[in-house]
């Protein structure tokens, strides 16, 4: 985990967006990963973007995951989903993600919409605590990674957790080839 100083996330709500803190407070006791294995570390908010973060905190891109919000329309209704991919890859938004949303065309959701609908900061959006009706598409490479670093809902911290935990989130679906090499 590089030079990050981590501690159990549920003990530091000041380092989490409110929806993330709420999701951790309701973490199921029978989840495959104990809530205390979800860690958080404070970071410099100016270094939250993946490349800058990895360089500053000595975290490999191969253990850094990104969560992107995608959207598409079907019958006049906008459908949203989150795609979780490793930083060494890019989400296949108009292929795999589009088909999962069952829309004709998918794209990254506008920043203002993503921020408003998630209750999280742009650049810190995480799959933990997303709206319950949104599917969470997790690339199979993410769940195959023993530990990953991902956003915390805010730019001034990061969450570290076992990769398999992301595939076990409510609404999550592990998808082969959701991402392509960057």
């Amino acid at each position: 985990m590089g030079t990050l100083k981590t501690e159990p996330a549920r003990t530091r709500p000041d380092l989490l967006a409110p929806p993330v803190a709420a999701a951790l407070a309701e973490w199921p006791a029978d989840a495959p990963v104990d809530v205390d294995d979800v860690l958080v570390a404070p970071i410099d908010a100016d270094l939250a973007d993946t490349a800058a973060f990895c360089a500053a905190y000595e975290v490999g891109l191969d253990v850094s995951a990104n969560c992107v919000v995608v959207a598409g329309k079907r019958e006049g209704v906008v459908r949203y989903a989150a795609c979780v991919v490793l930083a060494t890859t890019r989400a296949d938004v108009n292929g795999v993600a589009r088909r999962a949303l069952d829309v004709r065309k998918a794209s990254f959701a506008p920043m203002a919409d993503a921020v408003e609908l998630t209750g999280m900061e742009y650049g810190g959006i995480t799959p933990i605590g997303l709206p319950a009706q949104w599917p969470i598409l997790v690339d199979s490479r993410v769940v195959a990674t023993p530990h990953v670093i991902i956003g915390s809902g805010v730019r001034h911290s990061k969450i570290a957790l076992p990769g398999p935990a992301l595939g076990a989130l409510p609404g999550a679906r592990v998808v082969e080839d959701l991402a392509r090499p960057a």
Side-chain angles (χ1 to χ4, degrees), residues 2-19:
T3 60
L4 294 175
K5 305 288 188 245
T6 61
E7 55 192 299
R10 70 183 175 134
T11 66
R12 293 296 308 270
D14 58 309
L15 294 177
L16 306 170

Side-chain angles (χ1 to χ4, degrees), residues 1-100:
M1 292 190 236
T3 60
L4 294 175
K5 305 288 188 245
T6 61
E7 55 192 299
R10 70 183 175 134
T11 66
R12 293 296 308 270
D14 58 309
L15 294 177
L16 306 170
V20 178
L24 291 174
E26 297 171 5
W27 196 265
D30 63 348
V33 173
D34 187 85
V35 69
D36 287 331
D37 290 334
V38 180
L39 307 174
V40 68
I43 65 164
D44 181 334
D46 291 334
L47 300 172
D49 293 332
T50 304
F53 162 76
C54 288
Y57 293 94
E58 300 174 19
V59 171
L61 289 170
D62 60 332
V63 296
S64 183
N66 292 318
C67 178
V68 295
V69 177
V70 297
K73 270 190 183 175
R74 175 106 182 173
E75 298 170 358
V77 176
V78 179
R79 297 178 180 191
Y80 294 93
C83 295
V84 182
V85 301
L86 292 176
T88 55
T89 65
R90 293 184 184 263
D92 182 4
V93 174
N94 241 328
V96 178
R98 176 190 58 78
R99 288 190 294 277

Side-chain angles (χ1 to χ4, degrees), residues 59-182:
V59 171
L61 289 170
D62 60 332
V63 296
S64 183
N66 292 318
C67 178
V68 295
V69 177
V70 297
K73 270 190 183 175
R74 175 106 182 173
E75 298 170 358
V77 176
V78 179
R79 297 178 180 191
Y80 294 93
C83 295
V84 182
V85 301
L86 292 176
T88 55
T89 65
R90 293 184 184 263
D92 182 4
V93 174
N94 241 328
V96 178
R98 176 190 58 78
R99 288 190 294 277
L101 273 174
D102 191 26
V103 295
R104 295 181 82 200
K105 182 181 178 196
S107 59
F108 294 106
M111 177 178 51
D113 292 352
V115 168
E116 179 182 345
L117 295 170
T118 64
M120 301 180 199
E121 294 176 5
Y122 186 75
I125 294 175
T126 188
I128 301 169
L130 288 176
Q133 67 275 20
W134 288 14
I136 301 170
L137 309 175
V138 184
D139 186 72
S140 59
R141 287 169 274 229
V142 173
V143 297
T145 304
H147 283 86
V148 296
I149 311 292
I150 196 155
S152 63
V154 294
R155 291 183 61 87
H156 63 273
S157 66
K158 293 284 186 181
I159 286 177
L161 75 168
L166 294 171
L169 290 172
R173 190 168 84 216
V174 178
V175 180
E176 291 290 327
D177 299 320
L178 172 62
R180 300 181 190 272

